[in-house]
Amino acid sequence: HSFPTRRSSDLLPLLSNAQDTKKDTNKDSDGKLELVHADNTVKVPAEKKEGKRHQKDNIKYSGKVQFKIGNNVINCDSAMDLVNDDLVTAYNVTITNPEYFTTKADELNYNRGTISGTATKNVTITALNGSIIGTSESVEVDFKKMAYRIGMGNITPPSPAK
């Protein structure tokens, strides 16, 4: 049997209403992904690319890793910062915001250029009260505002309790 899946656009009124209740959530974030903490930091030589002479080393973070962007906190087990590509991939991720939802995913691919990313694999979105809003295999996450936004993706609401 299959459960009905909903596009996140179906849940946007719910998500938008929660976002509009607090003024700070609608303020623009500075868009800077800041490393708050990492137990271990290792420089990893970047793969050589044709036409690119002076490649900066990539940076691998492991242990308890925490990033911050706007009022959003991203906790993860490890992350790889592909410095030359402006991309950060974080693993076993929890994204929290004091005025918003908690999103958990196996992986977050973040693009510094677009100030957004994609949470993939075993995504769970939870309300502040702890109730599960839904699950997904992939949702877009926009960090341009102080509170992150959930964008495109198929979100399956939890099956009704019996």
Side-chain angles (χ1 to χ4, degrees), residues 95-114:
I95 307 167
T96 55
N97 183 292
E99 299 176 352
Y100 197 44
F101 306 104
T102 295
T103 301
K104 292 186 176 189
D106 289 356
E107 199 170 293
L108 172 68
N109 293 297
Y110 177 77
N111 182 322
R112 283 193 180 89
T114 61

Side-chain angles (χ1 to χ4, degrees), residues 11-87:
L11 293 171
L12 286 179
L14 170 75
L15 298 172
S16 298
N17 289 344
Q19 289 162 351
D20 291 340
T21 57
K22 301 270 177 38
K23 289 186 178 67
D24 281 355
T25 62
N26 289 318
K27 287 183 185 162
D28 290 340
S29 75
D30 63 6
K32 289 190 177 79
L33 181 72
E34 296 174 41
L35 176 70
V36 177
H37 174 85
D39 287 348
N40 302 297
T41 302
V42 180
K43 288 192 173 191
V44 180
E47 286 182 32
K48 299 216 181 317
K49 291 184 181 168
E50 266 186 65
K52 300 270 186 182
R53 295 185 67 141
H54 302 289
Q55 295 272 82
K56 293 179 185 163
D57 286 342
N58 292 323
I59 305 168
K60 181 173 184 176
Y61 303 105
S62 60
K64 288 189 173 108
V65 182
Q66 186 177 80
F67 295 99
K68 189 172 191 289
I69 181 167
N71 287 341
N72 309 294
V73 175
I74 302 166
N75 287 298
C76 57
D77 289 347
S78 64
M80 179 62 96
D81 189 342
L82 302 173
V83 179
N84 301 292
D85 299 322
D86 269 351
L87 301 174

